[in-house]
Amino acid sequence: MSGLLLPILRRPSSLISTGFVVKSPQSLLQPQRHHLHYSSRLMSAKLKPAARVAGNRQDVWTIVNEAAAASPRQPIVNMGQGFFGYNPPEFILNAAKKALDRVECNQYSPTRGRPRLRKALSKAYAPHWGRELDPETEITITTGANEGMLSAFMAFIEPGDEVIVFEPFFDQYISNIEMPGGKIVYVPMHPPKEGHIKTLSASEWTIDFDELERAVTPRTKMLVINTPHNPVGKVFSRAELERIADLCVKNQIIILSDEVYDRLFYTPFTRMATLSPEVEKITLTVGSAGKNFYATGWRVGWLMGPAELIQYVAAAHTRICYSSVSPLQEACAIGFEEADQQGFWTQCIEDMQNKMSRFNAIWDELGLPYSIPEGGYFVMANLNKVEIPEGYPFPPHVAERPRDFKLAWFLIQELGVAAIPPSEFYTDVNAHIVEDWLRFAVCKPDEVLEDAKERLRGLKKFI
C-alpha cells in the first residue's frame, strides 16, 4: 500500500486539479482514504471465492450440529453421522501401534500405496474376484475412499462431461464431480409406495430403468453406483446391476462402483466388476478401511480396476495428495492378513445385524414403518405419522427446507436424538420423495442404542 501512496505525497499539486483544497498536512490523508477505499473494492472482488465453494445454503451437518448445540436435551444421542462409537479390534490397533515404531512407516509411502497393503488387498479380494488382482497395476491406495473418488473424477472428467448419479447420493459425490467441471445427471431411486404405512425391505427402493436410459447422452462419461447403499441400505440385486452394466458397456461409460460397505451385507451381494470381463474393463471399485475396520478417522481407501484406468486415477491421486498415511496403511495390511483367521468379517456382520435388530425394535414398538437394511449400518425410518405441533418455532433456514429437516430439528430439540434428513441427498426437485424419512446410524455401542430408544419413546404423544 505504501508504494501506492507515494505519488500522492510527492505531488500535492496534483490534488488541486481533482477539486481538493490542501489546507494542512492532515488534509493530505483524505485522498489517501479515498484511494484505499477504491483499492479495497478491487481487492474484495479479487478475494471472491470460486463458485464451487461459494454456496450460501447451510449444509445438513452444520444444521444438525447447530440444532444439537441449541437443544435443551443434553447430551445429545448422535444417531446421525456415520462414525463408529467404538474402537477397531485389538489386532488392528496393535498393528498400528507397532507400525509407529518402524522408521519406514513414518516416512512417505509410494504414491500408489504401501506394497504390503496392495498385496494384502489382492489376496483378500481374490475369492470375490475369482483371481488375484495385480497389486502393482490394478490397485491404488488413496487418502480415504472420498479422495479416491475425487481422483477418479479428476482422472477422467473434462468440463462438460456428464456423470450419472442416483438419488439419494453421498453428498461428497456432487462437489467431487463439479471440481473438474463435470455435469451431474440425476436419476432418482423411488421408495416403496407403501413405505409410509408398512415396513418393507430396502430392496423395495427401485430405479426406473426407462428414466436411466433417458439420462444417457453422447456426453455421458461416468456412472456412479453405491452398493450396499447409503442411506437406503439397499444391496443392488445381480439383475439390477446387469441392466445398469449392459447400458454402460453399450455406451462405453465408466462405472465408479462405491462399495465401501462391502463387508456389511445381510443378503447376497454382487460386486459390479465381477459380472463379466467386459464390465470389469470399465469398472473402478472403491473400498474403505475406515468402514471395514471401524476406523473412519484413519482415512485409508483404495480403488481397484483395470490397469488402463487405474494408472490415471493413480496419476491424479499423486497430484492431489502425493501419498497417503504410512503407518495406518501398514496396520490395514495386517488387518486384511489376519481378518479371516480372527473370524472378523463374520463377526462384523453378526454384530451389525444385532445392532439393527436392537435399534429397529423401537419402530416396531411405535408402529412407525422403516426400510429393513440389506447392508451397511444405516436405517431409514418413515415418520409420516409424527405430527409436529402447529406453529413450532423453527429457525428460518430450517423452516424453508423440506419436512425431513423439520423432523430432524424437532427430534433434536424435543428428544435429544440426532438423525439425518435424507432430502439433503436429493436435488430440490426430488426432495419431496423422502420428506417423511430420517436416516439413523446404528454403528454405536448398545447402551447408546438403548438410550436412543428410550428417548424416541417420547414420540408417542406426537403420533
Side-chain angles (χ1 to χ4, degrees):
M1 269 310 180
S2 58
L4 291 175
L5 293 178
L6 283 175
I8 297 174
L9 296 175
R10 287 174 181 166
R11 297 193 299 156
S13 60
S14 65
L15 301 179
I16 298 172
S17 64
T18 65
F20 287 94
V21 179
V22 180
K23 295 182 178 179
S24 68
Q26 185 178 6
S27 66
L28 276 173
L29 297 177
Q30 292 176 0
Q32 177 184 341
R33 287 197 297 270
H34 173 76
H35 185 86
L36 285 170
H37 178 65
Y38 175 70
S39 179
S40 68
R41 289 203 308 268
L42 288 176
M43 287 298 290
S44 63
K46 287 189 174 182
L47 292 174
K48 182 180 177 181
R52 68 179 68 95
V53 296
N56 291 320
R57 191 164 80 167
Q58 283 188 298
D59 63 77
V60 67
W61 317 108
T62 303
I63 290 174
V64 169
N65 289 337
E66 178 185 303
S71 175
R73 296 293 305 271
Q74 298 292 341
I76 299 297
V77 178
N78 187 356
M79 301 289 290
Q81 202 167 354
F83 58 82
F84 295 88
Y86 39 87
N87 259 340
E90 282 297 316
F91 73 96
I92 300 289
L93 290 178
N94 289 337
K97 293 171 185 175
K98 290 177 181 177
L100 289 171
D101 291 328
R102 294 167 53 190
V103 172
E104 75 276 13
C105 288
N106 289 300
Q107 308 308 320
Y108 296 122
S109 287
T111 58
R112 288 198 177 205
R114 293 189 66 76
R116 185 174 182 177
L117 177 54
R118 285 182 279 135
K119 289 176 184 176
L121 286 167
S122 176
K123 290 186 179 298
Y125 278 90
H128 311 295
W129 245 255
R131 68 176 180 88
E132 286 192 12
L133 295 163
D134 185 334
E136 296 298 323
T137 63
E138 295 182 306
I139 300 171
T140 193
I141 309 303
T142 60
T143 308
N146 184 53
E147 189 264 321
M149 288 184 281
L150 174 61
S151 296
F153 295 129
M154 288 292 191
F156 293 103
I157 300 302
E158 299 278 11
D161 285 344
E162 295 176 357
V163 181
I164 293 175
V165 171
F166 296 113
E167 302 178 83
F169 44 74
F170 175 51
D171 55 345
Q172 288 290 105
Y173 296 160
I174 308 309
S175 56
N176 285 354
I177 294 166
E178 290 175 342
M179 286 285 184
K183 176 187 175 184
I184 303 158
V185 179
Y186 298 95
V187 175
M189 288 172 63
H190 301 280
K193 289 184 171 62
E194 295 185 304
H196 64 294
I197 58 173
K198 187 185 297 184
T199 293
L200 296 165
S201 169
S203 65
E204 298 291 326
W205 291 68
T206 57
I207 292 167
D208 182 327
F209 282 93
D210 290 334
E211 285 182 315
L212 176 57
E213 289 197 30
R214 289 195 297 271
V216 175
T217 77
R219 294 303 304 268
T220 306
K221 187 73 175 287
M222 295 180 77
L223 176 145
V224 183
I225 185 168
N226 176 208
T227 181
H229 190 276
N230 168 21
V232 170
K234 175 186 175 74
V235 170
F236 282 80
S237 70
R238 186 179 186 90
E240 289 174 314
L241 294 179
E242 285 175 342
R243 291 192 68 176
I244 295 167
D246 287 347
L247 191 64
C248 291
V249 170
K250 175 184 174 182
N251 293 279
Q252 284 300 283
I253 298 167
I254 298 169
I255 300 170
L256 186 64
S257 190
D258 179 357
E259 299 178 12
V260 297
Y261 303 99
D262 69 342
R263 298 290 179 168
L264 289 172
F265 54 89
Y266 323 121
T267 192
F269 169 54
T270 302
R271 290 169 168 79
M272 175 67 86
T274 66
L275 289 176
S276 71
E278 293 75 24
V279 176
E280 185 179 9
K281 286 178 182 176
I282 60 170
T283 300
L284 292 165
T285 300
V286 184
S288 166
K291 303 298 190 296
N292 286 167
F293 295 126
Y294 312 158
T296 58
W298 284 20
R299 312 309 295 143
V300 176
W302 53 85
L303 267 73
M304 303 182 292
E308 294 77 14
L309 299 182
I310 287 293
Q311 64 177 318
Y312 300 112
V313 175
H317 160 73
T318 301
R319 287 156 178 77
I320 292 169
C321 62
Y322 185 70
S323 65
S324 301
V325 60
S326 295
L328 300 183
Q329 285 191 54
E330 194 74 5
C332 290
I334 295 168
F336 275 104
E337 291 167 358
E338 297 186 9
D340 283 320
Q341 67 191 54
Q342 298 275 353
F344 179 64
W345 305 125
T346 301
Q347 193 64 50
C348 281
I349 292 173
E350 290 178 2
D351 289 348
M352 203 61 73
Q353 281 185 301
N354 288 336
K355 290 180 184 297
M356 285 288 183
S357 297
R358 178 185 292 273
F359 179 68
N360 287 336
I362 188 60
W363 308 123
D364 295 325
E365 179 183 327
L366 294 171
L368 295 176
Y370 57 97
S371 284
I372 303 170
E374 297 181 305
Y377 49 65
F378 297 111
V379 60
M380 292 274 281
N382 190 292
L383 276 63
N384 174 267
K385 296 178 184 177
V386 174
E387 294 185 3
I388 299 172
E390 189 174 349
Y392 192 84
F394 293 108
H397 63 278
V398 174
E400 68 185 13
R401 301 294 286 268
R403 173 175 148 86
D404 60 333
F405 272 82
K406 300 179 183 68
L407 285 166
W409 186 276
F410 182 74
L411 255 63
I412 292 171
Q413 297 300 311
E414 299 300 318
L415 307 180
V417 177
I420 296 299
S423 68
E424 178 80 356
F425 312 136
Y426 276 82
T427 52
D428 289 345
V429 69
N430 287 325
H432 66 279
I433 293 174
V434 286
E435 66 180 0
D436 288 325
W437 298 82
L438 286 178
R439 188 197 80 173
F440 295 82
V442 306
C443 50
K444 311 296 177 184
D446 289 348
E447 58 269 23
V448 172
L449 300 179
E450 290 298 332
D451 190 1
K453 287 163 63 178
E454 181 57 36
R455 295 185 186 212
L456 288 168
R457 290 187 177 99
L459 284 174
K460 290 178 181 177
K461 60 185 175 183
F462 301 107
I463 295 175

